[in-house]
Amino acid sequence: MKYVLFICTPVGGAELSPEEIADDPRFTSYIEEVRRRGLVKGGARLRPSSDATTVRVQGDEVLLSDGPFMESKEYVAGIDIIEVTDLDEAIALASRHPAALAGGSVEVRPVWE
């Protein structure tokens, strides 16, 4: 089954650049493992929520606002698309993600196929 892991970071927490992640042994060992096992099928590191633009439509009017779509203590910092046997394996993988171990969270959501 395919799942999306939404990697969530606490608002106001350290925002690691791609270079800092590449130099962080917690991330490099996790990334090496999931790639070696062929679990990751796609994903992306996202820019901070302060760079987001939210689009809403009310009637014929398109409304834009800067920043995340809602007030939150966390924001989505990246996504991984994984293919694993079942939800238990997806949860086990998410529980070892460095973001979850550093005070953030990882939402596990199945993909419609």
Side-chain angles (χ1 to χ4, degrees):
M1 291 191 67
K2 285 186 181 172
Y3 293 88
V4 173
L5 304 182
F6 292 95
I7 304 4
C8 301
T9 299
V11 170
E15 179 66 38
L16 299 179
S17 69
E19 294 79 19
E20 290 171 314
I21 288 174
D23 291 338
D24 187 323
R26 298 170 303 162
F27 280 94
T28 55
S29 65
Y30 178 85
I31 292 166
E32 287 172 9
E33 176 193 349
V34 296
R35 286 187 178 154
R36 179 179 41 78
R37 294 176 57 199
L39 301 177
V40 174
K41 303 302 177 187
R45 175 88 168 91
L46 302 176
R47 295 197 48 91
S49 62
S50 59
D51 291 348
T53 299
T54 299
V55 178
R56 291 182 180 83
V57 178
Q58 291 182 352
D60 293 335
E61 190 175 3
V62 176
L63 305 172
L64 302 178
S65 59
D66 292 333
F69 64 93
M70 63 181 214
E71 291 294 320
S72 178
K73 293 182 180 184
E74 296 179 326
Y75 65 93
V76 178
I79 62 167
D80 287 340
I81 300 169
I82 60 170
E83 189 162 358
V84 294
T85 307
D86 56 23
L87 179 59
D88 290 337
E89 187 176 1
I91 290 170
L93 190 61
S95 71
R96 293 194 317 273
H97 194 284
L101 297 173
S105 66
V106 177
E107 178 182 331
V108 177
R109 193 179 305 179
V111 174
W112 287 107
E113 293 189 87

